[in-house]
Amino acid sequence: MPRNGEINNSFGVYKNLCCGTEIIIPAGVIFPDCATHIHLITEWKNIHSSRIPHVSELAEGKKTEPAA
Ligand SMILES: [Zn+2]
């Protein structure tokens, strides 16, 4: 499992093991430190690797329905 500081080689949604933070990391980007545990080692697990969420899904899971 990749750790922070390693270069990501496959686009995907990654979840860190210490805090469960989910972020999208494109290929070629270095896995970041955990926002809560800066400078500590954390591992990033690839989740939803086969599906790219739409940007509208990233806003706290809220879905804005059109006002009919
Ligand atoms: Zn953390």
Side-chain angles (χ1 to χ4, degrees):
M1 204 174 294
R3 292 180 176 181
N4 53 330
E6 296 184 2
I7 296 176
N8 181 22
N9 56 23
S10 63
F11 179 97
V13 180
Y14 289 83
K15 182 176 185 176
N16 76 351
L17 295 189
C18 65
C19 292
T21 304
E22 296 181 13
I23 60 171
I24 295 174
I25 305 179
V29 172
I30 294 174
F31 289 98
D33 293 342
C34 173
T36 309
H37 302 104
I38 295 172
H39 301 316
L40 294 182
I41 292 174
T42 190
E43 292 185 331
W44 290 93
K45 180 180 182 180
N46 191 338
I47 59 174
H48 307 317
S49 58
S50 62
R51 178 176 170 275
I52 301 174
H54 188 267
V55 65
S56 65
E57 296 179 50
L58 301 179
E60 299 179 356
K62 290 181 181 178
K63 288 189 176 179
T64 54
E65 297 181 4

